[in-house]
Amino acid sequence: IRDQTRSRGLGDVYKRQEVDLILTSGETVRRDRPQLTIRDPKLLAGREQPQRLIISRHADSLPVDAPLLCDEWRQRTLIRGGDLRGILQEMAQHFAVNSVMVEAGGNLVAALLEQGLVDEMVVYLAPIACGTAQRAIAGLGTAGMALEQVEWLHLDPDLRCRAVLSRAEHVI
């Protein structure tokens, strides 16, 4: 999801208020400068902003003026590099994280999928033409991952697909 699209689907923005942690990559922080916050005061009532976690092997190259590092919730932003499974286990054990939302690019998404660390996917399709050489989910090649309990929601003009990843060994 990219904030610059400002589409109706972003009003849906898959419920940041329902998660304990929002996970992103250093590359996303450098390129998009996300805030990763609950912006609607009504949705924030009675809770704290979610923890924010930046995965980066090059933390020293993160922009010091990135919103995640200098806003009023900067103390809720963590930076880690290394083993994703270990990092998520640390978040669960030391920060009481039970639910994670990923707002990142294809490389981190692919790494999480390949390591079996994703239970559910929510993908937004907007009627906008954007082009780069990078895939939405890098690294999966031509192999697919089976999805179950697929739900489609029309968010004029966007489309949201929400699905649970199959734990079966077969691919589509």
Side-chain angles (χ1 to χ4, degrees):
I1 301 171
R2 296 186 182 264
D3 284 343
Q4 61 263 30
T5 61
R6 298 286 181 230
S7 64
R8 182 169 166 218
L10 288 173
D12 180 64
V13 184
Y14 189 60
K15 318 289 188 234
R16 287 180 179 156
Q17 74 275 7
E18 293 180 4
V19 299
D20 301 318
L21 175 84
I22 301 173
L23 176 64
T24 195
S25 67
E27 190 62 22
T28 297
V29 172
R30 286 185 281 279
R31 288 182 186 214
D32 297 343
R33 306 176 66 78
Q35 295 177 38
L36 306 182
T37 57
I38 301 168
R39 294 184 187 92
D40 184 337
K42 288 181 262 178
L43 298 176
L44 189 56
R47 69 154 294 156
E48 292 185 279
Q49 289 285 353
Q51 289 284 144
R52 302 175 298 186
L53 175 61
I54 303 167
I55 301 293
S56 180
R57 285 177 267 156
H58 308 287
D60 56 335
S61 70
L62 294 171
V64 294
D65 62 342
L68 293 170
L69 302 175
C70 62
D71 66 12
E72 63 186 289
W73 301 287
R74 64 188 167 277
Q75 76 281 1
R76 297 192 59 76
T77 301
L78 305 166
I79 303 170
R80 297 287 188 276
D83 172 54
L84 290 172
R85 186 175 302 278
I87 292 168
L88 291 175
Q89 287 172 341
E90 174 196 356
M91 296 300 111
Q93 293 169 355
H94 299 289
F95 296 95
V97 169
N98 293 309
S99 58
V100 177
M101 177 177 177
V102 179
E103 294 192 36
N107 291 326
L108 180 56
V109 170
L112 292 162
L113 286 166
E114 289 169 351
Q115 293 181 41
L117 299 172
V118 178
D119 296 316
E120 178 183 37
M121 288 182 69
V122 178
V123 178
Y124 291 86
L125 304 173
I128 184 170
C130 304
T132 68
Q134 188 171 16
R135 296 177 180 176
I137 301 175
L140 290 179
T142 58
M145 301 187 101
L147 303 176
E148 299 174 345
Q149 301 173 34
V150 178
E151 298 174 3
W152 292 94
L153 179 63
H154 189 249
L155 299 165
D156 189 26
D158 300 342
L159 194 58
R160 182 185 78 193
C161 177
R162 183 176 182 174
V164 173
L165 272 70
S166 172
R167 294 294 172 211
E169 294 296 318
H170 67 281
V171 294
I172 301 172

